[in-house]
Amino acid sequence: MPSAIDNLLMILDLERIEHNIFRGHSPQVGWQRVFGGLVIAQALVAAARTVADREPHSIHGYFLLPGDPAVPIVYEVDRIRDGTSFTTRRCNAIQHGRPIFSLSASFQIREQGLEHALPMPDVPAPEDLPSESELYAQFGSMLPEPMRRWFAQDRPIEIRPVALSHYLGHKLSAPVQYVWLRAAGTLPDDPAVHRAVLAYLSDMTLLDTALVAHGRTIFEPDLQVASLDHALWFHRPFRADEWLLYAQDSPNSGGARGLTRGLIYARAGRLVASVAQEGLIRLRPKST
């Protein structure tokens, strides 16, 4: 039976059905809606397949409607501009005749320039942190049912949070968290595959950071939580099947929205990508 990462790679290998039109599918794992990171990654794959000899440096997307995992997603790419140095694409993800996600992506030729980057935070190495199976064995009985179901699934991305206190009780703390992530298996030696997998995992755990300051988690039934938009910038080469540190913070929440940011570092300390996301964080009315 294919592993979860093998299934993800198959799902990211979109079917071309016309010159600028592609078709993708969702894993049939019982999700009520399509995972946002999957739509981001598939839209990036679709846009990149219309560009030759240039790599994406930034993508900006808006989530418009919840995706239906039971039906395919059609990706329509609009070739906005092919310039001397930069190429611009727009990609709409469509289900049931309506767009559920809209992506703009910019691609650039390889160029040299001035360089600087913020240093990687000093955090424990992933080998010094418990694995997901160890965490589940230790804390599984303390977790809410949605989190237990999530831990029980075979997942394509391995996650090792540096701290777990905000998941285990209503403890208020600064809206900052650090998470190690990597693909749960070896990926092909194709940078485009690694970029797609990073786009997929960039939507994981990020919105949680806006809830840390309030001692809440996305699994609580009185919260309606969903990604609204997502921006990702690629800085340097990396491998998504090696450990990446996702350093996250949330500078603001208000108006039923939370803003979160992330810096993604390779194990050696190179800053390889930056992320920003705003999400819906709505308190559901109390039932009477």
Side-chain angles (χ1 to χ4, degrees):
M1 180 179 296
S3 67
I5 190 61
D6 291 333
N7 282 329
L8 177 60
L9 293 178
M10 288 187 290
I11 288 170
L12 291 178
D13 188 15
L14 301 181
E15 174 191 2
R16 185 188 293 268
I17 58 177
E18 247 299 343
H19 183 55
N20 295 321
I21 303 176
F22 304 83
R23 179 160 48 211
H25 299 270
S26 299
Q28 300 304 298
V29 292
W31 291 346
Q32 293 183 341
R33 60 187 182 187
V34 177
F35 171 53
L38 179 65
V39 187
I40 296 168
Q42 288 184 332
L44 172 60
V45 170
R49 289 189 176 178
T50 69
V51 179
D53 303 324
R54 298 181 181 193
E55 297 178 352
H57 68 91
S58 72
I59 61 175
H60 299 257
Y62 282 92
F63 297 95
L64 307 175
L65 290 170
D68 181 355
V71 300
I73 305 173
V74 174
Y75 294 89
E76 295 185 352
V77 180
D78 189 0
R79 302 182 184 227
I80 301 294
R81 179 177 181 267
D82 292 295
T84 303
S85 302
F86 290 88
T87 293
T88 307
R89 295 290 185 263
R90 181 169 56 229
C91 180
N92 286 333
I94 298 170
Q95 281 187 320
H96 304 296
R98 297 188 297 174
I100 65 169
F101 178 74
S102 181
L103 179 84
S104 293
S106 182
F107 301 75
Q108 183 187 11
I109 62 172
R110 291 190 177 184
E111 297 187 64
Q112 298 297 317
L114 301 174
E115 286 205 21
H116 78 272
L118 292 176
M120 186 171 76
D122 184 14
V123 300
E127 293 82 10
D128 298 330
L129 298 169
S131 67
E132 291 178 77
S133 59
E134 292 170 333
L135 287 173
Y136 188 71
Q138 184 175 0
F139 299 111
S141 61
M142 302 169 60
L143 298 174
E145 178 58 28
M147 286 190 73
R148 289 201 296 270
R149 289 199 304 267
W150 186 80
F151 266 108
Q153 293 178 350
D154 183 22
R155 295 181 303 283
I157 306 299
E158 185 177 357
I159 302 175
R160 295 195 182 183
V162 171
L164 284 172
S165 58
H166 60 281
Y167 289 110
L168 301 175
H170 289 252
K171 179 181 179 181
L172 305 182
S173 59
V176 175
Q177 71 170 343
Y178 304 103
V179 184
W180 290 100
L181 305 98
R182 68 176 177 184
T186 303
L187 300 177
D189 293 329
D190 180 352
V193 172
H194 291 263
R195 286 191 292 267
V197 172
L198 185 140
Y200 177 90
L201 65 81
S202 70
D203 192 38
M204 303 180 75
T205 74
L206 185 58
L207 194 51
D208 300 14
T209 314
L211 294 167
V212 170
H214 308 279
R216 309 296 295 270
T217 74
I218 63 171
F219 298 101
E220 296 179 32
D222 66 333
L223 291 177
Q224 181 184 359
V225 181
S227 301
L228 295 173
D229 61 10
H230 194 89
L232 169 61
W233 296 266
F234 297 102
H235 304 312
R236 295 172 180 84
F238 60 91
R239 289 192 66 92
D241 53 5
E242 297 177 352
W243 284 114
L244 299 167
L245 179 67
Y246 205 168
Q248 307 168 357
D249 71 0
S250 176
N252 183 73
S253 66
R257 302 184 314 278
L259 176 64
T260 53
R261 306 178 298 190
L263 299 177
I264 300 178
Y265 292 88
R267 178 67 180 269
R270 298 187 319 277
L271 180 62
V272 301
S274 299
V275 188
Q277 182 180 92
E278 191 173 45
L280 174 70
I281 303 176
R282 177 180 288 152
L283 291 169
R284 299 182 188 276
K286 293 183 178 180
S287 56
T288 57

